[in-house]
Amino acid sequence: MKSYTGDTSAHAVVLKELGNAYFKIQQDSRIILEYTVRIKIFDDKGFDEGNVIIPIYKGDNLKYESVTNVSGTTTYIDVDGKKVKASLDTKSIIKENKNKNWDLVKFTLPDLHEGCIIEYSYKLTSPFIFNFRSWEFQSDIPKIESKYVTTIPQVYHYNISYKGPYELIADLPELMKDCFTGGGSDLKTDCWKNTYVLDSIPAFVEEAYMTARSNFLSTINFELSEYTDYMGIKHGVTKEWKNIDEELMSSDVFGKQLQKKDVFATEIKALLGKQTDELLKAKTIFKHIQKWFKWDGSIGIYPDGLRKAYEKRSGNIADINLSLVSAMTSAGLFCEPVLLSTRNNGIINKLYPVVSDFNYVIARVVIGEKSYLMDASDPFLPFGLLPIQCINDQGRVMSFTRPSFWIDLKATHKSVDSYSLVLSLDETGKIKGKLTNFSIGYEAHNKRKRIKKFNSVEEYIEDLDERYPKMKILKSEISNLDSLESTLSESYEIEIDAYDNLNQEKFLYNPFLMVKLTENPFKLAERLYAVDWGIPSETRLMLSLTFPDKFRVVSSPATARLGLPLDGGLFITTQEISDNVIQLSQRTLFNKSIYTPEEYPYLKELFNKIVDNHKTDFVFEKKL
């Protein structure tokens, strides 16, 4: 093979991949995965496939996974046309500690050549029977065949779920008699053997505006729902939400932390004084918690301790946001915690409640008929605005007084970035005038974070000046930098050394300096998963340019009015040239947070039009 006909751009292809997972008794029940793969490498860009990393999990109580029986070969044709097979030196296999929960087993196949075939295999042993091995059929390179065989004793019952856009071939289960003996007993049990196959699997290509890749990979997953011990007694493992509610809300490390209202009662009472308006109360408490705590950068749903965190004035996400819930509750407001999974952690499987799927907690306060979602860990977030990482499908509201329930995690504000330029081009080739930038919602949040990274506003202005070498900022003013719920305004008097002089017959001017899009982020011919825009957004540009009378405009960016289906968004450019003044207005609007795969071609084409428009200049020519 010189290339793979299913994807001629591929640098490598999996010829055959096989996983065989089954139970075995050692000192206790273990799950064994025997893995083998054969890969054709076409060029040097495919050599990464020869660098193998196997993650293995370490649990508590000295439980850990292990990898044994590692072998590997590289087969290639040498310069004399002879077939050579090089074997992996097992001494080159290393084990690396990644963190407290994971080790990495690493090795590199020897003598990688363009056109070679590599093959490797290993055995992974796991004591964690609650997590039968999942299987990813899809990876960064295409696969001709991927097969997964599971043999599971009848004493273990797993909920099995497949996720992915491709049709999975599953053979009928095969009954294997007396295949397993365990639990300290000589009693044998039958097993079910299942075979799952996918053929001609395309490479998974990550593209702009998507959440965690785990949401989209073709994968089969297993979750233990019930098992029977050697005494014949059944034990349910999969829980209902009512069980999760009871456990969490009565837990010392979650629910009981929320009942420590005395941590905040005295200070909150003094803070609020005689204030009676509930929304003002909520905003006052939010700002207090936001300023009081410094986030230590760690996430999770369990606090280290609200009292300890309050005294230290720092803590993890749960410390801060459960403190927010407790403080609001102590003030008589109806506030509850919301568990969620962040965008890079993946979307929660709602079929079976699994608390470990959640990795973040926020607060939800209800005032009148309206609810507000809050995260007090970010000092630049206004009340009622969630960080982008939390806008991920749905969250679970936990409560002492009612069953938990799902709520949508949506952006309550869109991101608005608006530029106004009033400029004048003089005979020396300099452009002078005023630039004003208004930022609203998430754009204002991001801009405030950028500005605050500098030691002072003056340093931010200096950096801005350096990023546009031809532009000099003569005067500047930034308004509402610390007023988080107000529009952030930046106003600059500027001078641009655009041209050496205007003695030439013709010159070009591109008006899109501040908003210019040079590349379409969407490159796939088709997309099988949604475009997750995160938040609705809007960008505006309004330009007034006065130029010398001796020139006229002979060419300019085309006017345009393009819209996406179902009111998904639009791109509008208008212009008017009167005497020696150009008036240009442009608006780019995306009304949705998520665009379906069916909307992808329209979105891609809209961006093509925007890129083409931003490449176009005003062409000025000297009058005769």
Side-chain angles (χ1 to χ4, degrees):
M1 292 175 71
K2 300 299 182 185
S3 66
Y4 174 48
T5 55
D7 181 358
T8 54
S9 66
H11 304 293
V13 61
V14 171
L15 303 174
K16 190 177 182 67
E17 179 183 45
L18 173 64
N20 182 27
Y22 56 90
F23 278 78
K24 186 175 182 179
I25 291 296
Q26 292 176 334
Q27 292 178 335
D28 53 9
S29 295
R30 302 285 173 117
I31 296 173
I32 309 296
L33 170 66
E34 296 174 349
Y35 179 85
T36 303
V37 66
R38 187 179 302 127
I39 301 172
K40 172 74 176 185
I41 295 177
F42 299 115
D43 54 43
D44 57 1
K45 291 182 180 178
F47 286 177
D48 281 346
E49 300 305 317
N51 298 319
V52 183
I53 301 176
I54 308 166
I56 54 176
Y57 187 72
K58 300 179 289 186
D60 298 328
N61 303 320
L62 299 179
K63 277 191 172 184
Y64 54 89
E65 296 178 334
S66 62
V67 170
T68 57
N69 297 13
V70 179
S71 65
T73 58
T74 302
T75 306
Y76 62 96
I77 305 298
D78 68 11
V79 292
D80 298 322
K82 295 181 180 179
K83 186 167 74 170
V84 179
K85 181 175 284 191
S87 296
L88 173 69
D89 182 358
T90 55
K91 293 179 181 178
S92 67
I93 301 169
I94 62 172
K95 184 178 177 181
E96 179 183 295
N97 176 49
K98 182 181 180 183
N99 54 44
K100 67 176 183 178
N101 294 123
W102 293 93
D103 283 339
L104 301 176
V105 175
K106 296 182 174 182
F107 58 88
T108 299
L109 276 301
D111 293 351
L112 296 177
H113 287 67
E114 292 187 2
C116 71
I117 291 176
I118 61 172
E119 181 170 352
Y120 61 88
S121 61
Y122 59 83
K123 182 166 77 171
L124 192 154
T125 303
S126 173
F128 306 110
I129 63 171
F130 286 84
N131 302 101
F132 194 83
R133 306 299 304 184
S134 60
W135 183 262
E136 291 185 356
F137 291 95
Q138 203 172 10
S139 71
D140 294 332
I141 61 172
K143 297 181 181 181
I144 294 176
E145 181 184 87
S146 180
K147 180 187 290 187
Y148 189 41
V149 181
T150 65
T151 305
I152 301 175
Q154 287 187 335
V155 292
Y156 297 107
H157 294 274
Y158 290 87
N159 294 317
I160 303 173
S161 60
Y162 171 70
K163 174 176 58 182
Y166 307 106
E167 186 175 352
L168 180 67
I169 302 169
D171 290 351
L172 288 174
E174 176 186 346
L175 183 64
M176 302 181 68
K177 302 294 290 184
D178 297 335
C179 78
F180 181 73
T181 305
S185 167
D186 292 331
L187 295 176
K188 293 186 177 182
T189 185
D190 299 339
C191 298
W192 287 111
K193 181 179 179 181
N194 287 271
T195 302
Y196 308 95
V197 181
L198 265 185
D199 294 329
S200 304
I201 313 162
F204 180 78
V205 180
E206 291 194 50
E207 203 183 27
Y209 302 106
M210 60 177 287
T211 51
R213 63 182 279 148
S214 60
N215 293 331
F216 310 105
L217 284 174
S218 295
T219 311
I220 191 163
N221 295 296
F222 301 78
E223 183 186 20
L224 187 64
S225 61
E226 181 184 87
Y227 69 94
T228 304
D229 64 24
Y230 68 96
M231 298 293 292
I233 301 172
K234 289 186 177 182
H235 300 269
V237 176
T238 299
K239 298 178 180 179
E240 297 180 4
W241 270 110
K242 62 181 181 181
N243 308 121
I244 301 294
D245 293 353
E246 184 178 346
E247 287 180 14
L248 271 180
M249 300 315 287
S250 62
S251 166
D252 290 335
V253 293
F254 191 85
K256 288 187 178 179
Q257 293 288 316
L258 294 170
Q259 294 174 323
K260 296 180 178 180
K261 301 174 190 175
D262 59 309
V263 176
F264 311 96
T266 303
E267 190 159 355
I268 294 301
K269 185 177 180 180
L271 183 71
L272 297 177
K274 295 182 179 179
Q275 202 171 86
T276 57
D277 183 277
E278 288 198 335
L279 183 56
L280 288 178
K281 278 185 177 182
K283 288 184 176 182
T284 302
I285 294 170
F286 175 78
K287 289 177 183 177
H288 172 69
I289 297 294
Q290 190 180 42
K291 290 179 179 178
W292 184 268
F293 284 100
K294 183 177 180 181
W295 179 36
D296 66 9
S298 58
I299 62 176
I301 67 169
Y302 299 111
D304 290 332
L306 301 197
R307 189 181 300 279
K308 182 174 72 172
Y310 195 75
E311 291 171 354
K312 289 198 312 179
R313 301 191 68 161
S314 70
N316 62 28
I317 282 295
D319 285 316
I320 296 170
N321 287 329
L322 292 185
S323 291
L324 179 61
V325 173
S326 186
M328 291 215 176
T329 304
S330 72
L333 298 172
F334 187 70
C335 190
E336 298 168 317
V338 180
L339 307 182
L340 59 86
S341 172
T342 54
R343 291 168 72 85
N344 60 2
N345 192 54
I347 292 175
I348 297 291
N349 180 355
K350 301 187 188 71
L351 293 176
Y352 320 107
V354 180
V355 174
S356 59
D357 286 348
F358 298 98
N359 71 330
Y360 208 96
V361 60
I362 57 174
R364 177 179 183 264
V365 64
V366 179
I367 298 173
E369 299 296 319
K370 193 170 181 179
S371 64
Y372 301 85
L373 299 177
M374 302 163 291
D375 180 354
S377 67
D378 187 331
F380 306 109
L381 276 174
F383 177 84
L385 198 71
L386 286 180
I388 296 290
Q389 64 174 338
C390 293
I391 300 175
N392 187 37
D393 193 42
Q394 291 188 313
R396 190 80 180 184
V397 180
M398 308 304 296
S399 177
F400 286 110
T401 59
R402 54 182 173 170
S404 64
F405 58 95
W406 294 106
I407 57 165
D408 292 332
L409 300 171
K410 293 181 178 180
T412 53
H413 302 70
K414 68 179 177 181
S415 179
V416 179
D417 198 13
S418 177
Y419 291 91
S420 172
L421 297 99
V422 180
L423 306 173
S424 179
L425 172 63
D426 65 23
E427 295 284 352
T428 66
K430 293 183 184 295
I431 296 176
K432 299 177 182 179
K434 187 173 183 179
L435 162 64
T436 306
N437 179 208
F438 297 104
S439 304
I440 302 173
Y442 284 95
E443 181 61 29
H445 168 254
N446 294 334
K447 184 68 69 67
R448 287 185 174 102
K449 289 184 77 170
R450 285 201 297 273
I451 294 173
K452 290 291 188 177
K453 283 184 179 179
F454 293 89
N455 294 321
S456 65
V457 172
E458 288 72 26
E459 284 192 15
Y460 167 74
I461 304 298
E462 288 174 13
D463 179 74
L464 193 64
D465 217 359
E466 291 173 4
R467 283 193 285 127
Y468 296 98
K470 288 191 174 184
M471 184 176 77
K472 292 180 182 177
I473 297 176
L474 307 176
K475 193 175 179 181
S476 64
E477 182 182 359
I478 298 180
S479 304
N480 298 325
L481 182 58
D482 297 315
S483 301
L484 302 186
E485 295 187 35
S486 301
T487 298
L488 178 64
S489 171
E490 299 172 78
S491 181
Y492 304 102
E493 286 186 18
I494 60 173
E495 181 180 281
I496 303 172
D497 292 324
Y499 313 99
D500 290 338
N501 58 67
L502 289 184
N503 292 329
Q504 50 200 318
E505 296 296 318
K506 183 184 289 188
F507 67 92
L508 310 177
Y509 171 69
N510 189 291
F512 305 113
L513 175 66
M514 310 308 296
V515 297
K516 193 169 187 178
L517 188 68
T518 59
E519 185 179 5
N520 191 336
F522 303 114
K523 298 177 174 63
L524 299 177
E526 63 175 351
R527 183 155 158 161
L528 299 176
Y529 45 88
V531 174
D532 195 315
W533 202 252
I535 51 174
S537 65
E538 180 176 4
T539 304
R540 287 180 177 268
L541 172 66
M542 288 159 284
L543 168 72
S544 174
L545 176 68
T546 302
F547 57 92
D549 283 331
K550 66 180 181 180
F551 288 96
R552 62 190 177 95
V553 178
V554 294
S555 180
S556 60
T559 60
R561 185 178 179 89
L562 303 170
L564 293 173
L566 305 175
D567 194 30
L570 53 83
F571 173 65
I572 300 175
T573 299
T574 61
Q575 59 169 283
E576 182 180 336
I577 303 171
S578 177
D579 296 328
N580 63 326
V581 179
I582 295 171
Q583 300 282 352
L584 180 139
S585 175
Q586 187 168 101
R587 185 185 182 208
T588 308
L589 176 66
F590 297 99
N591 287 322
K592 295 185 175 183
S593 296
I594 295 175
Y595 293 88
T596 65
E598 291 74 25
E599 293 174 292
Y600 177 75
Y602 302 101
L603 193 63
K604 180 180 177 182
E605 182 58 23
L606 184 70
F607 269 89
N608 281 335
K609 298 296 184 185
I610 295 172
V611 171
D612 288 343
N613 186 270
H614 286 182
K615 287 178 181 177
T616 311
D617 302 310
F618 280 101
V619 179
F620 293 86
E621 185 178 81
K622 190 176 287 187
K623 293 177 182 177
L624 297 176

